[in-house]
Amino acid sequence: MNIGIIGATGYGGTELYRILSNHPEVSSCTLYTSSDEHKKYSSVYPHLTEVCPLDLHPIKTEQMKDEHDVIFLAAPSGVSASLTPGLLSEDIKIIDLSGDLRLKDPDQYEKWYQKTAAPGELLQNAVYGLSEVNRACIEQAHIIANPGCYPTATLLALTPIVKHQLVRSSSIIIDAKSGVSGAGRKPSIGTSFTEMQQNLKIYKVHRHQHIPEIEQELKDMDPNIGPISFTTHLIPMTRGIMATIYVELAENQSQEQLMDLYNQFYQNMPFVRVRKDGSFPGTKDVYGSNYCDIGLKLDPRTGRLTIVSVIDNLMKGAAGQAVQNFNLLFGFDETLGLKHLLPVYP
């Protein structure tokens, strides 16, 4: 397969290159950027010195359509919406890592992202790429909208109980925390070392752009699900997301029943690991890998279920899941190019 990566100089783009450069079904990667054209990739990322000889190319959509089997867009939100229509072709598949193609309602996108939405037909044709939940549609897709990092952690934690309509409407509370790489590579005061070191910050209270994405997907599973409460925090580490989720159950369940439900739901899913009763994951447990680890505990005193879900935001929350979707899209083994990427510890 001949691969193009748009936005190769971002963190998601360089993670894509790291995975795809060792993928047995990939013969070439061409790297595109709008900021560092014609530079050596290793001049932007020195860790690739004497490892990657590739140059960075300017984005020319008409030319790219004829040269690649798949194009990954790891560009910022707003960019993919304008580029994707020019890339459309019967002979090319598109996997978009931005948020531009996830929301089916363009008005919702413009409200939450404050940007112009992609054409409505494009939004309707894009398949939401939550690998474990939507694989049948992904396998037949032409355009994949890769999920956001927070939605991936949250939806994988909630899917088994929401699909079985065990959640009381409007009872979902999500307390999510992310490492600073989730904010991207562009420097800013808010994510600088002096601002973040020994600090914990809440941000985008009640206005995070991933709220409508999570709600859209939950309602597809159970139309009775009401609005969620979703808060996000930055923590002083590079990678990782932990979503701690609190829900009220619509019917009585035991801890044993809930554990059985989760284990059965994910028993054939190679990248979701359900912890044993009483065990909860930390972000280091999935660092550098495509795993999502989930722990859960029912509080019999309050009747609330607490679910803890962790992912590496640049892997399962971005590039890793994009490659997982690439594998599903072309009928490869789902773990190809990913299984050898064991979590890095400590």
Side-chain angles (χ1 to χ4, degrees):
M1 310 291 290
N2 296 315
I3 306 297
I5 300 174
I6 295 177
T9 56
Y11 291 141
T14 197
E15 278 291 81
L16 278 171
Y17 176 74
R18 180 172 76 97
I19 303 167
L20 292 170
S21 64
N22 291 295
H23 195 291
E25 296 290 343
V26 172
S27 58
S28 70
C29 282
T30 307
L31 310 174
Y32 298 95
T33 179
S34 60
S35 57
D36 294 291
E37 301 100 323
H38 308 299
K39 290 184 179 180
K40 288 288 184 185
Y41 199 29
S42 57
S43 72
V44 178
Y45 282 109
H47 72 286
L48 296 173
T49 300
E50 298 186 8
V51 176
C52 174
L54 299 180
D55 295 324
L56 292 162
H57 298 268
I59 299 168
K60 298 179 180 179
T61 54
E62 285 301 317
Q63 179 181 337
M64 294 163 65
K65 286 196 298 187
D66 299 328
E67 297 177 350
H68 303 296
D69 301 298
V70 185
I71 291 182
F72 292 84
L73 289 101
S77 296
V79 176
S80 292
S82 62
L83 288 179
T84 303
L87 293 167
L88 293 177
S89 165
E90 290 185 6
D91 299 324
I92 196 169
K93 305 281 190 178
I94 294 172
I95 301 177
D96 180 35
L97 280 73
S98 81
D100 287 358
L101 306 182
R102 298 173 194 156
L103 298 179
K104 297 302 182 184
D105 184 345
D107 293 335
Q108 284 287 302
Y109 176 86
E110 293 182 354
K111 172 185 175 182
W112 289 89
Y113 282 82
Q114 300 293 302
K115 301 178 188 295
T116 301
E121 185 178 358
L122 179 58
L123 296 176
Q124 294 307 313
N125 288 334
V127 170
Y128 190 73
L130 190 61
S131 306
E132 284 73 18
V133 177
N134 212 17
R135 64 182 56 222
C137 293
I138 292 168
E139 289 169 355
Q140 304 300 319
H142 196 75
I143 305 167
I144 293 177
N146 217 57
C149 50
Y150 283 125
T152 295
T154 300
L155 292 169
L156 290 176
L158 285 170
T159 292
I161 52 174
V162 172
K163 274 187 171 289
H164 285 80
Q165 298 186 327
L166 294 177
V167 176
R168 193 179 299 278
S169 177
S170 301
S171 75
I172 298 174
I173 300 172
I174 303 152
D175 184 319
K177 300 173 178 67
S178 174
V180 183
S181 63
R185 197 176 188 218
K186 187 176 181 180
S188 71
I189 292 175
T191 57
S192 67
F193 179 85
T194 49
E195 295 285 331
M196 280 306 306
Q197 177 67 359
Q198 298 181 347
N199 198 8
L200 174 63
K201 297 196 294 188
I202 192 169
Y203 69 104
K204 292 187 178 180
V205 178
H206 303 319
R207 60 185 182 88
H208 198 286
Q209 68 271 18
H210 287 167
I211 291 173
E213 179 181 340
I214 295 170
E215 291 181 343
Q216 171 185 274
E217 297 308 310
L218 291 176
K219 283 182 177 294
D220 276 352
M221 301 176 202
D222 180 358
N224 296 316
I225 293 294
I228 63 172
S229 294
F230 179 74
T231 54
T232 54
H233 309 76
L234 279 180
I235 54 179
M237 67 182 192
T238 301
R239 292 174 179 248
I241 281 178
M242 175 179 284
T244 305
I245 303 166
Y246 309 94
V247 300
E248 295 179 12
L249 298 178
E251 60 183 66
N252 290 331
Q253 294 282 311
S254 68
Q255 176 71 19
E256 184 179 8
Q257 286 175 310
L258 291 167
M259 292 299 303
D260 286 345
L261 173 63
Y262 274 75
N263 283 314
Q264 289 174 17
F265 191 90
Y266 287 121
Q267 64 180 342
N268 296 317
M269 310 293 184
F271 292 115
V272 177
R273 304 187 297 189
V274 180
R275 292 297 184 91
K276 293 182 179 180
D277 188 2
S279 173
F280 290 91
T283 56
K284 272 286 189 181
D285 300 343
V286 297
Y287 193 98
S289 79
N290 197 50
Y291 289 108
C292 173
D293 283 11
I294 297 172
L296 57 146
K297 194 70 175 178
L298 180 66
D299 183 352
R301 188 177 63 86
T302 63
R304 294 190 188 95
L305 176 65
T306 299
I307 314 165
V308 177
S309 174
V310 298
I311 62 170
D312 183 319
N313 56 292
L314 295 178
M315 284 294 295
K316 186 59 173 168
Q321 184 159 225
V323 174
Q324 187 178 356
N325 285 329
F326 166 70
N327 289 335
L328 292 171
L329 191 60
F330 289 96
F332 303 143
D333 185 314
E334 185 176 352
T335 66
L336 209 59
L338 295 165
K339 190 173 184 179
H340 70 285
L341 296 175
L342 299 178
V344 177
Y345 201 96

